[in-house]
Amino acid sequence: MEPVTEETTAVVGEGFRRTTRARNKTMRAERGRGFWRLGTSTVLYVMVVGGMADYVDPQVRVIAHLAFWLFIGLGLGLTVARERRHDWAPRPRWPWLLAALGGAVTAEVLILAVGSPAIIVGSIILLVLGAFFLMLVG
């Protein structure tokens, strides 16, 4: 048997030493891609408020509309603050207004047109189709 000789080998990771500490590096802020969260939350709001309409007092629906408008306004405020903080060009503001007013009007029109049971069944069908699509795309 031959004796094992010690050779000077590079230490693992030697070629990958940082010149700048990681916490000093700034990460580029990424802008959101579209209004998917706004649209999804508006559709879910219409499903919930439309589905509960026959089972609660009308005052509860009014409170739900006001809370939804408050959350939409809060989301718009956070988006504007983020745009200013990262020096991004301002995005259109009309989708926020459309979501706030369109969601409330759509819920009320669906309640008057088809009623809560049909909205519940339609919501379940829409959620199942959405889950199927999400499973397809990964």
Side-chain angles (χ1 to χ4, degrees):
M1 291 213 141
E2 259 176 53
V4 177
T5 60
E6 287 189 34
E7 297 179 13
T8 56
T9 59
V11 177
V12 175
E14 182 69 28
F16 299 103
R17 292 197 185 264
R18 293 180 181 266
T19 57
T20 305
R21 291 191 341 220
R23 66 180 142 212
N24 290 341
K25 291 184 178 181
T26 58
M27 294 185 69
R28 198 175 105 224
E30 293 288 331
R31 170 171 255 177
R33 294 186 176 106
F35 295 99
W36 285 101
R37 285 183 286 185
L38 180 64
T40 303
S41 61
T42 303
V43 168
L44 290 174
Y45 165 76
V46 170
M47 288 179 183
V48 169
V49 170
M52 73 178 191
D54 289 342
Y55 309 106
V56 296
D57 293 330
Q59 292 84 8
V60 175
R61 279 198 336 242
V62 171
I63 292 171
H65 290 316
L66 292 175
F68 179 66
W69 291 337
L70 177 72
F71 285 127
I72 292 289
L74 181 66
L76 175 62
L78 290 172
T79 300
V80 169
R82 212 170 160 218
E83 286 175 353
R84 289 180 182 160
R85 184 174 60 234
H86 296 297
D87 293 328
W88 293 334
R91 289 183 112 175
R93 306 288 186 234
W94 63 265
W96 296 92
L97 182 63
L98 181 69
L101 295 177
V105 169
T106 303
E108 292 300 324
V109 167
L110 283 174
I111 291 166
L112 292 174
V114 295
S116 277
I119 294 173
I120 292 170
V121 170
S123 298
I124 291 171
I125 291 170
L126 191 61
L127 288 173
V128 167
L129 288 174
F132 179 71
F133 176 74
L134 286 176
M135 284 189 272
L136 283 177
V137 296

